[in-house]
């Protein structure tokens, strides 16, 4: 299975010229990267400019949201099939910043379904808003994952990516990120939920990523000790050097992250 490093630019950068510069920077730094599938998700209005910049590179293009409806009278929404014009193969759905606007688990699952039906791989975000001693965050995440699984078929699993993003870690410093040990437990839990429904071999085909305060100095540890197949990067993806260092750290051979970061 590939390692996925996804850049979520969110509502950044402020201008088209900056978006173009960022795309050119990513292409220069990572355009030949084959050890990981690097996906850049800019805001919709920048797609037409970013797409040609990434065309002759290994960097793939994604979006930050998609409509749950395939077509029709839905003001302000973008359908999955529209994305094929830009060869967009990935769509983040259910990011916590969208769930905060009222998207339910069922709505997010419907977006993932529509996305799959248009041959776009959904990157489905799940994650608790807070961690309390009583462990209710497991129930919270289980409900999000089960709503998704309810709309999936076994053959979908190789095209679905689940990004576990504890909401309390998003936008924080590296020190405030989740511990790799806690991440290891959660990714096991998510994979167990998938195994319960589809069996072990099918569950093994699903990629689980981590997101929330990922930086170049914690990326390797999330990959090695956290047991995930990739990372979803927010703010750090707006700095090309930092983002390239995250990719290098994530794909570094086990036990040698320093070398990938260019340190002695
Ligand atoms: P962050 O955001 O890397 O800035 O914490 C991650 C995300 O929201 O996907």
């Amino acid at each position: 299975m590939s390692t996925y490093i996804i850049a979520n630019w969110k509502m950044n950068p402020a201008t088209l010229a900056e978006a173009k510069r960022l795309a050119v920077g990513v292409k220069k730094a990572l355009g030949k990267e084959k050890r990981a599938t690097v996906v850049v998700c800019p805001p919709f209005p920048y797609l037409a400019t970013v797409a040609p910049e990434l065309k002759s590179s290994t960097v793939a293009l994604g979006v930050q949201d998609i409509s749950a409806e395939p077509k029709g009278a839905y003001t302000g929404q973008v359908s999955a099939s529209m994305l094929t014009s830009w060869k967009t193969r990935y769509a983040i759905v259910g990011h916590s910043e969208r769930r905060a606007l009222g998207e339910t688990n069922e709505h997010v699952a419907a977006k993932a379904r529509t996305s799959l039906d248009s041959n776009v791989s959904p990157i489905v975000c799940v994650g608790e808003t807070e961690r309390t001693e009583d462990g209710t965050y497991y129930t919270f995440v289980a409900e999000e994952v089960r709503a998704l699984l309810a709309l999936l078929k076994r053959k979908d699993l190789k095209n679905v990516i689940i990004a576990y993003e504890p909401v309390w870690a998003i936008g924080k410093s590296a020190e405030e990120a989740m511990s790799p040990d806690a991440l290891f437990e959660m990714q096991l839990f998510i994979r167990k939920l998938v195994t319960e429904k589809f069996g072990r071999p099918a569950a093994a085909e699903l990629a689980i990523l981590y997101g929330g305060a990922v930086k170049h100095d914690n990326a390797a540890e999330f990959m090695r000790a956290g047991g995930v197949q990739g990372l979803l990067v927010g703010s750090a993806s707006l700095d090309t050097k930092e983002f390239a260092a995250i990719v290098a750290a994530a794909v570094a051979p086990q036990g040698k992250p320093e070398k990938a970061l260019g340190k002695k």
Side-chain angles (χ1 to χ4, degrees):
M1 187 192 300
S2 180
T3 294
Y4 292 94
I5 311 292
I6 320 279
N8 177 9
W9 288 2
K10 305 194 180 184
M11 202 167 71
N12 298 294
T15 66
L16 185 61
E18 285 171 86
K20 187 168 177 169
R21 267 202 300 279
L22 196 51
V24 170
V26 172
K27 183 180 166 175
K28 269 198 193 138
L30 296 162
K32 293 199 171 78
E33 181 59 66
K34 292 207 179 84
R35 294 166 297 173
T37 301
V38 178
V39 184
V40 167
C41 303
F44 286 123
Y46 298 156
L47 278 183
T49 300
V50 171
E53 293 304 332
L54 300 179
K55 209 170 162 204
S56 57
S57 81
T58 57
V59 179
L61 193 62
V63 292
Q64 300 171 19
D65 188 32
I66 201 77
S67 176
E69 305 299 333
K71 61 178 179 175
Y74 298 99
T75 303
Q77 297 203 37
V78 175
S79 74
S81 63
M82 288 172 186
L83 302 178
T84 47
S85 319
W86 289 294
K87 305 245 182 315
T88 306
R89 299 200 318 272
Y90 299 91
I92 297 172
V93 297
H95 189 282
S96 60
E97 287 152 14
R98 297 213 56 88
R99 289 180 187 261
L101 299 175
E103 288 187 14
T104 61
N105 291 345
E106 289 67 33
H107 193 188
V108 171
K111 288 183 173 198
R113 183 68 260 163
T114 308
S115 177
L116 283 162
D117 292 341
S118 302
N119 293 321
V120 172
S121 290
I123 301 159
V124 188
C125 300
V126 300
E128 76 280 2
T129 43
E130 58 174 356
R131 284 216 155 192
T132 46
E133 296 267 306
D134 58 9
T136 45
Y137 48 89
Y138 277 113
T139 320
F140 189 93
V141 172
E143 279 169 10
E144 292 180 324
V145 173
R146 286 201 178 109
L148 169 69
L149 297 180
L151 297 192
L152 296 187
K153 301 184 194 84
R154 188 213 179 283
K155 67 173 172 50
D156 294 323
L157 291 182
K158 59 180 184 308
N159 296 318
V160 174
I161 298 167
I162 291 185
Y164 169 65
E165 299 202 296
V167 181
W168 49 266
I170 291 177
K172 298 284 168 52
S173 66
E175 293 72 40
E176 293 166 288
M178 172 172 239
S179 82
D181 289 351
L183 172 60
F184 186 79
E185 279 174 22
M186 185 53 92
Q187 64 79 28
L188 264 188
F189 176 71
I190 292 172
R191 206 172 292 284
K192 191 168 152 267
L193 294 172
V194 183
T195 306
E196 274 169 16
K197 173 147 189 205
F198 291 108
R200 199 176 291 266
E205 289 173 14
L206 172 90
I208 301 177
L209 318 186
Y210 171 75
V214 173
K215 317 284 176 202
H216 78 268
D217 46 3
N218 59 16
E221 206 52 22
F222 284 131
M223 295 296 297
R224 286 183 304 151
V228 287
Q229 290 73 52
L231 304 165
L232 176 50
V233 187
S235 51
S237 72
L238 298 170
D239 176 335
T240 310
K241 260 177 101 177
E242 173 70 8
F243 185 57
I246 288 172
V247 175
V251 298
Q254 293 214 348
K256 292 187 181 162
E258 300 80 359
K259 195 163 171 245
L261 289 172
K263 289 183 196 157
K264 290 243 164 81

